[in-house]
């Protein structure tokens, strides 16, 4: 556990991730008082397209992480909210115990809208007393409150709920009667902590439980990209662009879809298959620091790259046939490394340009988060390619974002007020390098021409 003791009132944010559970305790000014995490059962991925997990590990890990975090602070925890991976679903019995494995967000056997019905057809469900079809977050909220919870419209989006129409737009099949009966905005009250959950977590019985949202949505809130024009690029294993706009934007050809902000506007974005994983696939982890320094001295690459690790792209265009693309051959490892950094930045620019075409324009600076945002040379390259400053968001993680939602209506009167008080503004942005801009623009143009020639882009030029 990291952090320091606090006597101020605190809120708890739970991030139910894939490998572990992460918990943050934060006060009303955004100061982190404690953090803790607990491991989950490893995902079961025996073949391509299969991605499951033993969901029985979820609640014990959440309870353990909450108890550890709370043990190091003196201030009261006055609310808790839960966020989880988008599209992860599970069946549960009347005691809120999982029936069979959960399907994780990246399971490819059936679309997310059909996952509950697929699970209901499996032998585990046929022999069990299935009472609930839930998102991962619903299971944890149910264990916290002791009653079947409402769900939030962020988690429900992929399973067939339309937040614009305010209803489930997919028939739902056999699972329709088992899914949450009520869908509410993130940050809405979901109940209070039961006596059993209080004993398991170390929190106080009666503590308010509020709805979270998806992991990407919570990270977006934590980055402050929650008002029209504000955008964040999360540069982890993959590159994710998320932002806020006045109007809803859904464009399957470019992999863009919109969540709904509780304040009424929309949160468009998409996730590419390039990102930090493009570096880890081609370079040794312990060599990245040296390559970063040498790439900064070298300047723009003379070759151009679309650095896909495996076939298929989701954003800024949807194309199953897209694959790694090189225009020219790199002279050495440093140029190859620099070209990959630039290639990810080109994909980011193509995404922002597509969003702007559809009506969602980013206002500077672009916020950034994730492991890749720690690279100063990569941020400089991205700023030059984008033509605007790139500023690292200091608190852009899912658990912190869940804390902002937990503080809504408890420590603060609204989500906007919670965000204003708790989320720090990014500082010291990386600025575009004017001397490199023409060469970067030329390389970007070559890449765009190449993907269009191959027919990968499914939207108009």
């Amino acid at each position: 556990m990291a952090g320091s003791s606090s006597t101020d009132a605190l809120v708890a944010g739970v991030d139910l991730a894939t490998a572990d559970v992460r918990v943050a305790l934060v006060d009303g000014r955004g100061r982190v008082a404690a953090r803790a995490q607990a491991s989950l059962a490893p995902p079961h991925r025996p073949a391509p397209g299969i991605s499951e997990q033993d969901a029985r590990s979820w609640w014990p890990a959440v309870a353990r992480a909450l108890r550890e975090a709370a043990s190091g602070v003196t201030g009261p925890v006055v609310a808790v909210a839960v966020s989880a991976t988008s599209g992860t679903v599970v069946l549960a019995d009347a005691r809120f115990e999982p029936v069979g494995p959960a399907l994780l967000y990246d399971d490819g056997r059936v679309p997310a809208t059909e996952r509950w019905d697929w699970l209901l057809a499996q032998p585990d469900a046929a022999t069990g007393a299935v009472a609930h079809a839930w998102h991962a977050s619903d299971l944890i909220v149910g264990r916290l409150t002791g009653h079947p919870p409402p769900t939030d419209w962020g988690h429900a989006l992929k399973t067939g709920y339309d937040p614009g129409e305010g209803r489930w737009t997919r028939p739902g099949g056999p699972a329709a009667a088992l899914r949450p009966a009520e869908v509410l905005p993130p940050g809405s009250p979901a109940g209070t902590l039961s006596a059993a959950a209080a004993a398991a977590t170390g929190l106080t019985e009666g503590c308010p439980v509020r709805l979270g949202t998806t992991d990407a949505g919570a990270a977006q809130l934590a980055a402050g990209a929650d008002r029209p024009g504000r955008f964040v690029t999360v540069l982890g294993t993959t590159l994710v662009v998320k932002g806020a706009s006045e109007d809803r934007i859904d464009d399957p050809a470019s992999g863009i879809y919109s969540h709904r902000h509780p304040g009424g506007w929309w949160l468009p974005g998409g996730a590419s298959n390039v990102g930090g994983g493009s570096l880890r696939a081609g370079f040794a982890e312990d060599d990245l620091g040296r390559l970063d320094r040498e790439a900064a001295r070298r300047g723009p690459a003379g070759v151009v790259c679309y650095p896909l690790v495996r076939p298929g792209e989701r954003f800024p265009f949807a194309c199953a046939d897209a694959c790694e693309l090189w225009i020219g051959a790199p002279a050495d490892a440093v140029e190859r490394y620099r070209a990959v950094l630039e290639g990810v930045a080109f994909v980011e620019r193509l995404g922002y340009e597509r969003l702007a075409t559809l009506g969602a324009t980013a206002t500077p600076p672009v916020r950034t988060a994730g492991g890749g945002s720690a690279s100063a040379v990569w941020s400089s390259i991205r700023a030059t390619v984008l033509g605007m400053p790139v500023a690292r968001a200091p608190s852009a993680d899912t658990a912190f974002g869940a804390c902002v939602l937990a503080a809504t209506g408890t420590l603060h009167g609204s989500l906007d007020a919670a965000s204003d008080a708790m989320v720090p503004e990014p500082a010291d942005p990386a600025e575009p390098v004017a001397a490199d801009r023409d060469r970067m623009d030329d390389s970007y143009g070559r890449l765009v021409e190449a993907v269009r020639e191959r027919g990968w882009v499914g939207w108009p030029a």
Side-chain angles (χ1 to χ4, degrees):
M1 179 177 66
S4 59
S5 177
S6 172
T7 57
D8 294 334
L10 304 170
V11 289
V14 177
D15 171 19
L16 179 61
T18 304
D20 52 27
V21 171
R22 302 155 195 163
V23 166
L25 300 184
V26 178
D27 71 14
R29 286 171 283 180
R31 297 178 301 183
V32 178
R35 289 187 183 271
Q37 66 183 60
S39 297
L40 295 170
H44 180 61
R45 292 170 172 147
I50 300 175
S51 187
E52 300 178 348
Q53 190 170 45
D54 185 350
R56 293 174 297 182
S57 68
W58 293 351
W59 170 245
V62 168
R64 187 161 62 250
L66 281 169
R67 177 173 286 279
E68 180 182 343
S71 68
V73 299
T74 54
V77 176
V78 299
V80 57
V82 180
S83 292
T85 50
S86 175
T88 297
V89 300
V90 67
L91 302 179
D93 64 20
R95 299 175 300 162
F96 305 167
E97 291 290 343
V99 177
L103 291 193
L104 294 178
Y105 64 95
D106 57 343
D107 190 279
R109 286 171 286 184
V110 292
T113 53
E114 301 173 14
R115 285 178 180 166
W116 282 322
D117 290 329
W118 188 89
L119 284 171
L120 283 168
Q122 304 309 302
D124 285 338
T127 58
V130 177
H132 305 289
W134 280 341
H135 310 95
S137 58
D138 302 333
L139 182 71
I140 301 305
V141 173
R143 293 302 299 259
L144 288 169
T145 63
H147 61 72
T151 195
D152 66 274
W153 63 37
H155 283 105
L157 181 69
K158 285 190 177 179
T159 48
Y161 184 82
D162 188 316
E165 296 187 20
R167 64 184 182 89
W168 295 96
T169 55
R170 301 280 182 168
L178 304 176
R179 65 194 178 193
E182 191 174 19
V183 184
L184 301 173
S188 298
T192 59
L193 204 70
S194 70
T201 63
L203 304 183
T204 304
E205 182 181 355
C207 173
V209 179
R210 305 188 82 87
L211 295 177
T213 189
T214 63
D215 51 356
Q220 180 179 353
L221 292 175
D226 59 347
R227 313 288 168 85
R230 294 184 182 181
F231 277 79
V232 61
T233 298
V234 181
L235 190 49
T237 301
T238 60
L239 178 146
V240 178
V241 172
K242 298 284 289 183
S245 64
E246 295 284 356
D247 300 317
R248 183 175 187 173
I249 298 173
D250 291 304
D251 186 48
S254 50
I256 295 171
Y257 61 94
S258 291
H259 285 279
R260 185 122 194 223
H261 188 280
W265 47 80
W266 294 92
L267 305 174
S272 172
N273 286 337
V274 308
S278 303
L279 293 177
R280 289 194 290 274
F283 305 93
E285 189 77 27
D286 57 4
D287 210 22
L288 297 183
R290 177 186 65 82
L291 288 169
D292 235 31
R293 294 189 295 273
E294 294 187 14
R297 289 193 293 267
R298 180 74 60 94
V303 298
V304 178
C305 163
Y306 199 113
L308 282 168
V309 175
R310 59 185 63 87
E313 181 57 297
R314 301 176 290 167
F315 167 82
F317 53 83
C319 179
D321 297 328
C323 59
E324 185 181 50
L325 182 160
W326 284 90
I327 304 172
D332 54 25
V334 175
E335 185 171 42
R336 183 164 63 93
Y337 180 84
R338 172 86 189 204
V340 171
L341 297 183
E342 293 176 7
V344 174
F346 295 152
V347 175
E348 183 181 9
R349 175 173 167 179
L350 189 58
Y352 276 111
E353 289 184 351
R354 181 57 180 164
L355 282 160
T357 299
L358 296 170
T361 300
T363 56
V366 166
R367 292 159 168 79
T368 190
S373 68
S375 168
V377 65
W378 209 352
S379 292
S380 176
I381 288 169
R382 292 167 54 212
T384 304
V385 169
L386 294 173
M388 69 177 82
V390 171
R392 192 176 188 192
S395 300
D397 66 80
T398 298
F400 189 96
C403 286
V404 176
L405 290 168
T408 300
T410 53
L411 298 182
H412 299 286
S414 67
L415 178 54
D416 285 352
S419 178
D420 288 342
M422 298 172 69
V423 178
E425 284 293 317
D428 302 321
E431 298 287 346
V433 179
D436 294 343
R437 187 67 197 271
D438 287 346
R439 291 179 65 186
M440 292 289 201
D441 283 348
D442 179 70
S443 292
Y444 175 69
R446 294 164 67 194
L447 182 74
V448 172
E449 182 180 4
V451 300
R452 286 182 175 152
E453 285 178 348
R454 286 161 174 77
W456 294 353
V457 173
W459 36 266

